[in-house]
Amino acid sequence: MSGVPLMAYLALGLFMFTTGVVGVIIRRNPIVIFMCIELMLNAVNLTLLAFARYQPSAGSDPVGSAMAGQMMVIFVMAVAAAEVAVGLGIIMAIFRLRHDIDIDEMNLLRG
């Protein structure tokens, strides 16, 4: 197919996803946490595209199977854009209220 094997794409996707998970766990800034979530979503996109590209064409429509992977990536990108819009709106509202966005200090929803 191409010069880059499927395992290289999967290894890169795994590295990106692991980096995102570690960033979400150890960081306290919500903006950085959003960036790490975006990194995880991009790792999923890379994996979806790699599987769509290297999928054996069982039927007579190899373009259709490749387009299915691309449509999944577009769906994930739409979900990521909505997540960022809502999340940044919440962060801005909290910053206007408290003048601080430290994740450890956010206990507004606790009863």
Side-chain angles (χ1 to χ4, degrees):
M1 289 193 173
S2 69
V4 180
L6 176 62
M7 289 304 294
Y9 290 115
L10 296 181
L12 179 62
L14 177 66
F15 174 73
M16 288 170 57
F17 193 84
T18 305
T19 303
V21 168
V22 169
V24 166
I25 291 173
I26 66 171
R27 299 301 297 227
R28 296 290 124 214
N29 188 340
I31 303 293
V32 175
I33 291 173
F34 272 128
M35 289 173 29
C36 291
I37 291 171
E38 291 295 321
L39 187 63
M40 288 190 295
L41 290 174
N42 283 328
V44 170
N45 285 342
L46 178 66
T47 304
L48 285 173
L49 284 177
F51 279 129
R53 171 69 175 93
Y54 285 92
Q55 180 182 11
S57 57
S60 63
D61 190 17
V63 176
S65 64
M67 289 300 290
Q70 292 174 0
M71 289 305 297
M72 287 297 296
V73 168
I74 289 172
F75 178 73
V76 170
M77 289 172 70
V79 169
E83 172 249 339
V84 166
V86 171
L88 288 178
I90 291 172
I91 289 172
M92 289 296 295
I94 290 173
F95 182 75
R96 287 182 184 161
L97 182 67
R98 302 187 62 187
H99 300 288
D100 187 21
I101 57 170
D102 188 13
I103 218 71
D104 289 331
E105 302 294 324
M106 289 186 196
N107 57 4
L108 294 174
L109 297 180
R110 291 185 187 157

